[in-house]
Amino acid sequence: MDFAPWSDGADRTDRTDASAGAGDADRADPPVTYVPATVTRSAKIVVAGGFGVGKTTLIGSVSEVRPLRMEEPITQASAGVDDLRGTPHKTTTTVAMDFGRIHMAGGRLALYLFGLPGQSRFQPLWEDLAEGALGCLVLADTRDLDASHDALGLLDGAGIPYAVAINTFPGSPSYPEAELREALALEPATPLTYCDARDRTSSLHALITLTEYLSEHRSAALLESRR
């Protein structure tokens, strides 16, 4: 999949109706954040990984618009289904998706970020949300690397290129890169990086690693098609 073209003839920014009187203030529509006129390309990126690995946090840390979050409280019904041992203070879980948007390449590229729910029972939803994605950033937690395998298997089956970012939770164990690659069954060319999903700069670095890999992957595919 290539980047989708975008054209916008107007310079649109956040705005409200300045002509509204004081009596209309409470009834005014909330501000709308439009895609800037500088954007010439856009791409859909999915963020995947196991339950509680930090997908919602990462999208929230980088999104330049208010992120859309579809979370519900964790209830007793999840007992024995969702493993909270690594995240004992987690009180909500994504039941549909997260959504955010950021701009890169000097504002010319818009990345639309879709966070997939972590539980494997949502796999049919994963497949729908991943359709048309240019690539995926897979978050992993060294306390439970096996939790990433379902997402990695889905991406491999769908032929969606991806990079893996180890979310460095406080107190989580560290391993040599070779051991991590072996545990996650990664191909030699698949990027493996680290991030702190709470930190915007760190999360952006992980996304830049992915986009650079996608650019190289696309260039290699074009060369192969011309042989």
Side-chain angles (χ1 to χ4, degrees):
M1 174 184 174
D2 200 350
F3 293 113
W6 175 274
S7 64
D8 184 355
D11 182 12
R12 295 172 173 174
T13 57
D14 289 358
R15 60 188 183 269
T16 56
D17 187 0
S19 64
D24 296 328
D26 293 338
R27 298 192 299 272
D29 292 333
V32 177
T33 302
Y34 292 97
V35 176
T38 56
V39 172
T40 58
R41 296 185 296 172
S42 63
K44 176 181 180 181
I45 299 294
V46 290
V47 181
F51 174 72
V53 79
K55 302 177 294 294
T56 298
T57 301
L58 182 138
I59 290 176
S61 73
V62 301
S63 180
E64 295 171 0
V65 297
R66 179 179 295 178
L68 171 66
R69 292 173 174 170
M70 297 183 181
E71 294 187 301
E72 292 292 337
I74 296 175
T75 66
Q76 188 61 33
S78 71
V81 178
D82 297 329
D83 188 353
L84 294 173
R85 286 175 297 178
T87 54
H89 303 296
K90 185 174 176 63
T91 60
T92 62
T93 183
T94 300
V95 296
M97 68 174 187
D98 299 305
F99 174 78
R101 189 184 80 216
I102 64 171
H103 303 94
M104 305 179 78
R108 298 186 302 277
L109 170 64
L111 293 184
Y112 296 92
L113 306 175
F114 291 80
L116 309 186
Q119 300 94 319
S120 58
R121 62 180 179 272
F122 289 113
Q123 184 162 341
L125 182 59
W126 295 355
E127 295 170 355
D128 290 341
L129 288 175
E131 185 175 357
L134 186 69
C136 178
L137 180 66
V138 180
L139 290 184
D141 181 353
T142 57
R143 298 171 299 181
D144 187 8
L145 291 172
D146 288 343
S148 302
H149 287 164
D150 286 338
L152 293 172
L154 170 69
L155 295 167
D156 286 332
I160 298 174
Y162 57 86
V164 175
I166 303 295
N167 190 10
T168 53
F169 287 89
S172 59
S174 59
Y175 301 100
E177 180 176 330
E179 292 185 18
L180 291 171
R181 286 186 167 277
E182 182 178 0
L184 294 169
L186 300 182
E187 295 291 335
T190 301
L192 177 64
T193 187
Y194 298 83
C195 74
D196 180 341
R198 302 167 298 178
D199 181 76
R200 174 176 172 79
T201 299
S202 178
S203 298
L204 284 174
H205 173 76
L207 286 169
I208 289 170
T209 298
L210 171 64
T211 55
E212 289 177 343
Y213 171 64
L214 294 177
S215 179
E216 295 170 359
H217 185 273
R218 178 172 177 270
S219 297
L222 286 174
L223 287 174
E224 184 66 25
S225 66
R226 291 172 181 172
R227 290 180 179 176

